[in-house]
Amino acid sequence: MLRNMPDLSRGGPGDDADAAAVNALRSAVIRLSRRLKHQRVDESLSPTEMSVLGTLARCGSATPGELARKEHVQPPSMTRIVALLEAKGLVRLEPHPDDRRQKVVSQTERAEAMLEESRRRRNAWLASLAEGLDEDEWAKLRAAAPVLEKLAHL
Amino acid sequence: MLRNMPDLSRGGPGDDADAAAVNALRSAVIRLSRRLKHQRVDESLSPTEMSVLGTLARCGSATPGELARKEHVQPPSMTRIVALLEAKGLVRLEPHPDDRRQKVVSQTERAEAMLEESRRRRNAWLASLAEGLDEDEWAKLRAAAPVLEKLAHL
DNA sequence: CAGGGTAATGAGTTATGCTAAGGAACATGC
DNA sequence: GCATGTTCCTTAGCATAACTCATTACCCTG
């Protein structure tokens, strides 16, 4: 049962090509996120916890509120996540220098080591995926990765 | 089988770049999926239900098992999702012509109309996002969309 | 110093997936 | 043709991870 498949090669903001791209993007992102959930490198860390550690690695330290906004999670959820990470010795909580309401979350050396390890393990997953993609497809993925990041926190 | 697999021992050109890309991709996909969850067009439909409807729209009709595989969900979950969609009058269940164990799920006219409406609403979201992306970034996104879809069901 | 606004958190609920187990329909051996 | 094993959908029970609402502590302005 064939349906209207708009031309993806043609461009211009707001037209059918973009709508179709967004459609495909949404579907792919949802299914991929489900896969990633299952494909987690470390059983003891949820995807969001991993994501938070990644954000901390990129941005240095941040307050729980900042992290919640970046990860698109409600503050109470971030409180929980940070508490779990702290219990595992992966982040450190310090009082905010200027505002005693806030706290500053930063990663520990242990988190650093863990990220390195996880990076190594991800290469295996990467390699298995590489079998299904040609170099051109990889190039497109690499090109789009920063755009997706921008989209994620836009 | 190992055509494009990066050389892990040497750390060649595709290695670190690919690892970084996968890193960024994972993080972006997780956060984006969370955003999409909130951006849902119809409050009564979960993201997965939407994704299933999208799949049905692309592929015509399918059995619950096929849908479960496509969406990377276990069969019992798909049973429930399909049941919910049926209760909402968005899909129709018919007996399989050849195999009476299976069923055939197809979308109703109402789902058709709903998808059209949702497509229209997504354009608003799209327009708001378009302000933050230039044409070059959109082009990269369009190019990567099919690759992401491939990745999602690889 | 009173009052509004913001940060983090605690408690309870909801959503959404999973595993285990079962029943019906097919496929294949003899 | 029937017994056996397999496949498909489903039911039931459970786990996780998010959310909302309410609370407390703190900052800042008038």
Side-chain angles (χ1 to χ4, degrees):
Chain A
M1 203 165 283
L2 285 179
R3 299 181 40 75
N4 50 341
M5 289 298 276
D7 182 4
L8 292 176
S9 60
R10 190 169 43 86
D15 69 4
D16 278 355
D18 280 347
V22 162
N23 219 15
L25 224 63
R26 183 185 46 77
S27 176
V29 164
I30 287 173
R31 287 184 288 184
L32 249 183
S33 79
R34 203 148 30 222
R35 270 199 94 176
L36 284 167
K37 224 169 166 173
H38 241 319
Q39 201 81 32
R40 62 177 68 173
V41 285
D42 189 326
E43 279 307 316
S44 65
L45 252 60
S46 80
T48 307
E49 290 174 292
M50 274 305 289
S51 192
V52 168
L53 283 184
T55 298
L56 280 178
R58 278 196 309 278
C59 308
S61 50
T63 69
E66 283 171 355
L67 287 174
R69 280 188 292 276
K70 277 183 210 283
E71 298 292 327
H72 291 286
V73 158
Q74 293 301 309
S77 303
M78 189 50 70
T79 292
R80 225 176 98 83
I81 292 163
V82 166
L84 287 173
L85 287 175
E86 191 192 18
K88 288 167 191 160
L90 296 171
V91 303
R92 199 188 343 267
L93 272 115
E94 288 155 7
H96 194 283
D98 303 330
D99 188 338
R100 281 189 316 191
R101 291 171 305 179
Q102 306 186 47
K103 295 177 180 177
V104 176
V105 185
S106 54
Q107 64 176 353
T108 63
E109 311 71 32
R110 191 171 160 192
E112 188 82 36
M114 219 222 57
L115 280 176
E116 183 51 46
E117 168 63 18
S118 105
R119 216 168 279 135
R120 200 172 308 124
R121 289 214 218 166
R122 257 198 302 274
N123 281 343
W125 184 62
L126 179 78
S128 76
L129 279 185
E131 297 171 16
L133 295 181
D134 59 34
E135 189 46 46
D136 182 50
E137 289 172 318
W138 267 115
K140 284 174 180 167
L141 228 47
R142 273 196 300 272
V147 185
L148 283 172
E149 286 214 296
K150 186 174 175 183
L151 213 57
H153 66 78
L154 205 64
Chain B
M1 268 301 191
L2 302 179
R3 284 181 307 147
N4 301 301
M5 191 169 79
D7 183 356
L8 294 176
S9 55
R10 199 175 69 82
D15 188 358
D16 280 353
D18 280 349
V22 160
N23 221 12
L25 224 64
R26 183 184 45 77
S27 175
V29 163
I30 287 174
R31 286 184 290 182
L32 249 183
S33 79
R34 206 149 24 221
R35 272 199 90 174
L36 285 167
K37 225 170 165 172
H38 289 299
Q39 181 260 333
R40 59 175 71 171
V41 287
D42 188 327
E43 279 308 316
S44 65
L45 250 62
S46 79
T48 307
E49 288 173 294
M50 273 304 290
S51 190
V52 168
L53 283 184
T55 298
L56 280 177
R58 279 195 308 277
C59 308
S61 49
T63 69
E66 284 169 355
L67 286 174
R69 281 187 292 277
K70 279 184 209 280
E71 298 291 327
H72 286 105
V73 158
Q74 292 302 308
S77 303
M78 190 50 71
T79 291
R80 201 171 43 177
I81 292 163
V82 166
L84 287 173
L85 286 175
E86 191 192 19
K88 289 168 189 159
L90 294 171
V91 303
R92 199 187 345 265
L93 272 117
E94 287 155 5
H96 195 283
D98 303 330
D99 186 340
R100 282 188 315 190
R101 290 171 305 178
Q102 305 187 47
K103 295 178 180 176
V104 176
V105 185
S106 54
Q107 64 176 354
T108 63
E109 310 72 31
R110 190 171 159 193
E112 186 85 33
M114 219 221 56
L115 280 176
E116 184 51 46
E117 168 63 18
S118 104
R119 219 167 274 135
R120 200 172 308 123
R121 288 215 218 166
R122 259 198 301 275
N123 282 343
W125 186 63
L126 181 77
S128 75
L129 279 185
E131 298 170 11
L133 295 181
D134 59 34
E135 185 48 44
D136 182 50
E137 290 172 316
W138 269 115
K140 284 174 180 168
L141 229 46
R142 276 196 299 273
V147 185
L148 282 172
E149 286 214 297
K150 186 173 176 184
L151 212 57
H153 68 77
L154 205 63

